[in-house]
Amino acid sequence: MSAVGHDLTHGHDDAHDHHHKETFVTKYIFSMDHKMIAKQFLITGIFMGIIGIVMSLLFRMQIAWPEESFKVFSWLLGDEFAPGGVMRNDIYLALVTIHGTIMVFFVLTAGLSGTFSNLLIPLQIGARDMASGFMNMLSYWIFFIACVVMLSSLFVESGPASAGWTIYPPLSAVPQAIPGSGTGMTLWLISMALFIVQSAMGSLNYIVTVLNLRTEGMSMTRLPLTIWALFVTAIIGVVSFPVLLSAALLLIMDRSFGTSFFLSDIYLAGEVLHYQGGSPVLFEHLFWFLGHPEVYIVILPAMGICSEVISANARKPIFGYRAMITSILAIAFLSTIVWGHHMFVSGMNPFLGSVFTFTTLLIAIPSAVKAFNYITTIWKGNLQMNPGMLFSIGFVSTFITGGLTGIILGDSTLDINVHDTYFVIAHFHLVMGISALYGMFAGIYHWFPKMFGRMLNKNLGYIHFWVTAVCAYGVFFPMHFIGLAGLPRRYYSNSAFPMFDDMVDVNILITVFALVGAAFQLVFLWNFFYSIFYGKKATQNPWRATTLEWTTPVEPIHGNWPGDLPVVHRWPYDYSKPGYDEDFVMQTVPLREGEKDGGAH
């Protein structure tokens, strides 16, 4: 297969030599170059991330100082949704809903899989471009339209969707249920349908590219772990995303065409609605069949990125290369059979609950293998503590911290006590939100020179990491304790419950950490956009890494390599190998007589 890809991509190069000069539109807007599409995904994801973080700050301020007047509420939400600067309770639910949707799908999925699959797959496997450049371009623009539709729901008169990012019926299925069940909910569903279509297009492209366009000598056991992670992520996406699409389409039919897939015996203001025979629990099954693999669609690319960054900056081969691949495959398989642990309180049969408990606890094994291998790679390494490495170590820390609380939530008996409390928020924000963001930041700091030909400011990177690390734990660590004390999530105000009065100060502390942590993301934004134009010019291989992307010119070209494609002779982790003058050996360097290839055993 890879030989065929090798011939095909050589032909592409010959055609490219006689290619007409690109215009601004074909180079920067409707580009078919995978590197430019990666930048488009990244910058769009950053923009959506700013919106998602601002939303979280607004509702955190409401929780910390309930029903107080803030001018920023009037300024950002308008007098209709925040009369006199006091946030309305329905818009609070809308902010929680859109924040969750944007961060999970439009920031973490696009920022990690969209950005780094596009950037790294052709570069690290030795291909000229993706299998289909046109489909790749189309997937970005469908993603962009999905973003526009989601943001447009913020401006409809009745307000955006307010049923939580999980959009459970009947709130999401009965348009007249609450203001946020109207047009805003319809736009949410249209946006997600578009998002799923682009995700499926992108995933198919990534899979075909990895299988068919590997350069000569690039066997599957010589692929960097980033490619393994991105490849398996794409497979999970193809398997699970269509299930959410079917759920969204059935929900649209319930809302607009009078069907009853998810509704039964609904009473609204004393009126008996005509729905009968459906089941909202069916929607939960369909949603979480995607929803749990989605956690790994977000976290696996971060794991792959951190494998690469940790090995390069520890100046050591990755520990347990084959075990890391096996654990990626095991996580992918197990992630599709654990969705029921989100539904322990839905009236699930206790026997079925025990099955989901078993499979959920089982997934801790490959996750622990990865954490152990990261730590062992770092152990006694010649550590280069640049910002990318710091964020990778931060990833390992938060992944372990959040993973430990997952053992409690994965047990049906223990979960019932903390379900729908702040304990759940603390768990999944650490293990999925913060860990995935750390992986994304590690990737940006590491591959920024490859994307833009310039270096990010290292000192600003250090400030960004340490303040983010302290504030992330400052926000989510205390949530475990107020969750164990029973404080429910998604409540606009807890002032009606005197038993929670003692936790007001904790919520204020959490909000202060959130405000400080968000403010220091401006350091990253300044560093990122300033360095694109004025950063120090990068050398060809600034991290002295071994993989193929560092053999391409500093000034990127469409086609990646000016001459023949590189030929691969060894695995991607030959660091500090005895007998060589340098402490790294590129994949393109032939094996010496009697030398063993590290990936072959």
Side-chain angles (χ1 to χ4, degrees), residues 53 56-57 60-61 471-472 474-476 479 507-521:
I53 288 172
S56 69
L57 297 180
R60 277 290 349 153
M61 289 168 67
C471 290
V475 169
F476 297 112
M479 285 188 187
N507 258 326
I508 291 171
L509 178 71
I510 291 169
T511 303
V512 170
F513 272 119
L515 290 166
V516 173
F520 272 84
Q521 300 316 301

Side-chain angles (χ1 to χ4, degrees), residues 147-457:
C147 292
V148 171
V149 173
M150 184 62 70
L151 295 180
S152 68
S153 73
L154 300 172
F155 301 98
V156 299
E157 190 176 354
S158 57
S162 304
W165 78 278
T166 54
I167 57 161
Y168 285 171
L171 280 183
S172 59
V174 181
Q176 63 270 40
I178 57 172
S181 299
T183 310
M185 188 70 242
T186 304
L187 290 170
W188 191 101
L189 289 166
I190 294 169
S191 173
M192 285 309 301
L194 289 167
F195 177 85
I196 293 163
V197 168
Q198 75 81 22
S199 180
M201 289 172 67
S203 295
L204 289 169
N205 216 351
Y206 307 150
I207 292 167
V208 171
T209 304
V210 171
L211 291 179
N212 289 332
L213 296 186
R214 301 191 308 280
T215 191
E216 186 181 341
M218 181 61 83
S219 63
M220 294 298 280
T221 51
R222 285 177 175 169
L223 288 174
L225 290 172
T226 35
I227 302 301
W228 269 105
L230 296 166
F231 173 63
V232 172
T233 299
I235 294 172
I236 300 173
V238 169
V239 169
S240 59
F241 265 121
V243 179
L244 183 62
L245 181 60
S246 66
L249 294 175
L250 295 178
L251 196 54
I252 288 170
M253 293 174 75
D254 276 9
R255 289 173 57 80
S256 305
F257 301 107
T259 57
S260 297
F261 292 106
F262 306 129
L263 294 170
S264 181
D265 306 326
I266 300 291
Y267 296 82
L268 190 66
E271 177 192 353
V272 182
L273 303 186
H274 65 276
Y275 302 105
Q276 56 183 0
S279 168
V281 176
L282 170 62
F283 179 85
E284 290 189 41
H285 280 290
L286 292 174
F287 180 89
W288 286 115
F289 189 82
L290 160 93
H292 199 82
E294 170 64 20
V295 172
Y296 293 97
I297 288 171
V298 164
I299 209 72
L300 277 178
M303 287 177 166
I305 287 166
C306 290
S307 300
E308 191 71 24
V309 176
I310 286 173
S311 182
N313 288 296
R315 312 311 293 167
K316 279 178 65 182
I318 195 79
F319 184 87
Y321 175 75
R322 293 292 181 102
M324 291 291 251
I325 295 171
T326 306
S327 66
I328 288 171
L329 295 170
I331 286 170
F333 171 70
L334 290 170
S335 73
T336 60
I337 56 171
V338 299
W339 77 90
H341 68 220
H342 296 273
M343 300 169 57
F344 286 144
V345 298
S346 66
M348 181 187 289
N349 182 302
F351 174 73
L352 189 58
S354 67
V355 172
F356 280 119
T357 297
F358 174 71
T359 55
T360 301
L361 297 180
L362 208 58
I363 209 168
I365 297 171
S367 299
V369 168
K370 294 195 80 66
F372 173 80
N373 285 9
Y374 290 136
I375 293 167
T376 317
T377 304
I378 293 167
W379 179 253
K380 291 191 176 179
N382 178 20
L383 303 185
Q384 316 294 304
M385 284 299 191
N386 52 49
M389 182 62 161
L390 288 173
F391 274 109
S392 297
I393 294 170
F395 166 87
V396 178
S397 168
T398 53
F399 184 70
I400 292 170
T401 310
L404 289 172
T405 55
I407 294 170
I408 295 169
L409 294 171
D411 188 301
S412 55
T413 317
L414 299 173
D415 174 71
I416 289 169
N417 299 290
V418 290
H419 193 86
D420 259 342
T421 68
Y422 271 81
F423 191 89
V424 178
I425 294 181
H427 160 72
F428 81 77
H429 275 83
L430 275 178
V431 82
M432 178 187 176
I434 298 299
S435 296
L437 277 175
Y438 281 2
M440 189 165 83
F441 285 135
I444 291 169
Y445 280 102
H446 190 73
W447 281 290
F448 189 89
K450 188 46 56 189
M451 280 194 266
F452 299 102
R454 294 180 182 271
M455 305 294 289
L456 285 164
N457 184 299

